Amino acid sequence: MATITGGAAVRIIPSATRATVSVSSSSRSFFSFSSSSNSVSSLNCLRLSPRISHLFLDQRRSEVRVSSGRFGTVSTPKAFASDPDQLKSAREDIKELLKTKFCHPLLIRLGWHDAGTYNKNIEEFPQRGGANGSLRFEAELKHGANAGLVNALKLLQPIKDKYSGVTYADLFQLAGATAVEEAGGPKIPMKYGRVDVTGPEQCPEEGRLPDAGPPSPADHLRQVFYRMGLNDKEIVALSGAHTLGRSRPDRSGWGKPETKYTKDGPGAPGGQSWTAQWLKFDNSYFKDIKEKKDEDLLVLPTDAALFDDPSFKVYAEKYAEDQEAFFKDYAEAHAKLSNLGAKFDPPEGIVLDGSPNAVGEKFVAANYSSGKKELSDAMRQKIRAEVEAVGGSPDKALKSNYFLNIIIVIAVLAILTSLLGN
């Protein structure tokens, strides 16, 4: 089992913020937000705090033993990015947090926004974006689409302080998946071991997340999600997570100040939800969007596009009728999104006990030798992770070890000389 490491990371939220935080469980749109002066003010207050910006040092411990009167240093086995036992404990603490703060939508949005900056056209880590923990830095928190997510960090920071052997990248995705499951949604086939970026200079530029009301909603959704490597089915399935949460006009510019469904909370009252039971994960989002009968329920332009666009409509209609099909496709899409751009240590990732799909796909060369079958996404990710772990890239050859090559040539020549001599 892995030992503990502390991923290098700047702490945005000091441990002093463990006092009770009044947090809205508003999600607004998991991928659609405009800038907010309120959130910027919160960030300025955080920046001025004298207790901010401590460093978690990534220390590889070694043990010292005495032998024959001399000291020798023996390195312990290499640790993974996150400690498996601490991941399990952190998951239990997140469950308790959800019971008291009703912050399911907020935590899902945090995980989505950290992963949703991925660009499949950029090979290098961390320039490609994705699930790498960069959203903990002020440089990225200030992006308009991330308004209010500083509150999610305040909620999770005590858990991060308690379990320093869990990276921010893993914590964000663990929180989002746990929130879905605790709200009644499907079990997400997650894996962990994501490596954190180390500084704000590694944050992606603003503009990689989608807008709520673009001129051409369907085209905009495809432009953003295709850049991540996702398809139409996955776009629609992920949109179904709007069954949770609310939109607040003072933050996003969308929705009503309050409705009959949100005026009494739970959590901070107000906002406009997509569904009547906005803390229950089910397929009611698709049903309500299709019917459009309740004026107290929110329908964004990007929501309406799911039934207006012919390709999207096929899946939206299916999910409105079949919750089991929605749960299956959502779980797969959520897991795929949570892995985008991530660098895993170990390369194959860490699967917690009880998670589905714990056994990875076995590579059988004969299945792919005919040229008629392409590698699955899971196998592509596994190969990419293993190649990157030794410093390579799927698109670039590994650097040659010239010294080793020379030794091999000399050895071959020596063998040939010996044979010829005999």
Side-chain angles (χ1 to χ4, degrees):
M1 195 55 84
T3 54
I4 300 172
T5 65
V10 176
R11 285 175 47 189
I12 291 298
I13 310 299
S15 58
T17 60
R18 294 187 185 182
T20 301
V21 180
S22 176
V23 177
S24 160
S25 54
S26 167
S27 161
R28 292 169 285 137
S29 170
F30 292 115
F31 267 136
S32 308
F33 304 91
S34 61
S35 60
S36 167
S37 59
N38 292 338
S39 64
V40 174
S41 298
S42 299
L43 289 170
N44 288 336
C45 292
L46 287 171
R47 184 173 63 250
L48 295 174
S49 171
R51 303 204 44 195
I52 293 172
S53 301
H54 298 145
L55 291 176
F56 287 106
L57 298 179
D58 186 9
Q59 299 175 344
R60 305 295 186 190
R61 295 186 177 181
S62 59
E63 56 181 304
V64 178
R65 67 185 181 190
V66 179
S67 176
S68 303
R70 294 185 298 175
F71 291 95
T73 301
V74 181
S75 298
T76 59
K78 183 181 181 299
F80 297 149
S82 289
D83 179 80
D85 291 333
Q86 290 199 29
L87 281 166
K88 295 176 186 177
S89 297
R91 181 171 58 186
E92 296 307 310
D93 284 14
I94 291 170
K95 291 179 181 179
E96 293 302 313
L97 178 69
L98 292 167
K99 292 177 183 178
T100 58
K101 296 298 183 181
F102 308 104
C103 54
H104 305 68
L106 189 65
L107 298 186
I108 296 171
R109 182 177 161 232
L110 178 69
W112 279 32
H113 280 221
D114 194 46
T117 60
Y118 176 64
N119 187 339
K120 69 177 183 180
N121 301 312
I122 301 176
E123 185 65 37
E124 295 77 14
F125 176 90
Q127 292 91 328
R128 63 194 181 210
N132 56 32
S134 63
L135 190 47
R136 72 189 188 273
F137 293 112
E138 180 186 346
E140 190 169 343
L141 279 170
K142 290 193 302 184
H143 294 179
N146 294 327
L149 284 179
V150 66
N151 291 323
L153 284 172
K154 287 180 180 179
L155 289 171
L156 290 179
Q157 189 60 47
I159 298 177
K160 180 67 176 79
D161 292 341
K162 185 177 179 181
Y163 304 108
S164 60
V166 175
T167 63
Y168 278 98
D170 272 349
L171 182 62
F172 294 168
Q173 300 308 321
L174 175 66
T178 303
V180 169
E181 295 166 9
E182 290 299 292
K187 181 74 175 177
I188 312 296
M190 299 290 290
K191 67 176 182 178
Y192 300 95
R194 296 169 186 79
V195 175
D196 276 341
V197 297
T198 56
E201 70 281 357
Q202 296 176 318
C203 292
E205 72 280 2
E206 187 168 5
R208 294 195 185 186
L209 298 173
D211 297 324
S216 301
D219 291 341
H220 176 71
L221 287 174
R222 288 194 174 94
Q223 179 183 3
V224 173
F225 284 89
Y226 283 11
R227 186 208 68 221
M228 301 181 206
L230 300 174
N231 57 35
D232 285 1
K233 181 177 76 171
E234 290 160 338
I235 292 172
V236 179
L238 289 171
S239 297
H242 281 154
T243 192
L244 300 177
R246 301 168 285 177
S247 177
R248 294 180 180 274
D250 58 327
R251 297 180 185 177
S252 68
W254 296 93
K256 298 178 180 181
E258 70 173 25
T259 69
K260 61 188 177 186
Y261 301 117
T262 65
K263 64 180 181 179
D264 297 321
Q272 186 176 13
S273 59
W274 284 265
T275 62
Q277 293 181 289
W278 47 270
L279 284 177
K280 179 182 179 182
F281 197 101
D282 56 21
N283 68 335
S284 60
Y285 166 80
F286 296 104
K287 295 178 179 179
D288 293 334
I289 296 297
K290 181 180 179 180
E291 295 176 357
K292 297 182 182 179
K293 292 181 179 179
D294 194 334
E295 293 184 354
D296 272 346
L297 297 180
L298 181 63
V299 180
L300 296 171
T302 46
D303 299 320
L306 302 184
F307 284 94
D308 294 338
D309 181 87
S311 178
F312 288 160
K313 185 176 181 179
V314 172
Y315 301 107
E317 293 275 8
K318 176 182 178 181
Y319 299 151
E321 299 297 327
D322 189 343
Q323 179 169 285
E324 184 177 348
F326 165 53
F327 274 24
K328 176 181 179 297
D329 291 348
Y330 178 84
E332 294 174 357
H334 185 125
K336 181 176 179 179
L337 173 66
S338 74
N339 294 338
L340 295 180
K343 180 178 181 181
F344 286 92
D345 180 15
E348 68 275 12
I350 301 167
V351 177
L352 304 184
D353 293 340
S355 295
N357 299 338
V359 180
E361 176 185 358
K362 183 178 180 181
F363 181 80
V364 180
N367 293 342
Y368 299 89
S369 60
S370 66
K372 295 182 180 180
K373 181 176 181 181
E374 295 185 357
L375 292 173
S376 67
D377 289 339
M379 182 56 67
R380 289 177 188 275
Q381 291 178 4
K382 181 177 181 181
I383 294 173
R384 177 185 292 275
E386 291 176 349
V387 172
E388 288 179 344
V390 294
S393 164
D395 301 322
K396 302 175 185 177
L398 290 173
K399 295 181 179 179
S400 298
N401 187 325
Y402 296 106
F403 179 76
L404 180 60
N405 291 342
I406 292 173
I407 295 298
I408 293 173
V409 171
I410 292 174
V412 171
L413 290 175
I415 294 173
L416 291 174
T417 301
S418 176
L419 293 174
L420 292 174
N422 292 335

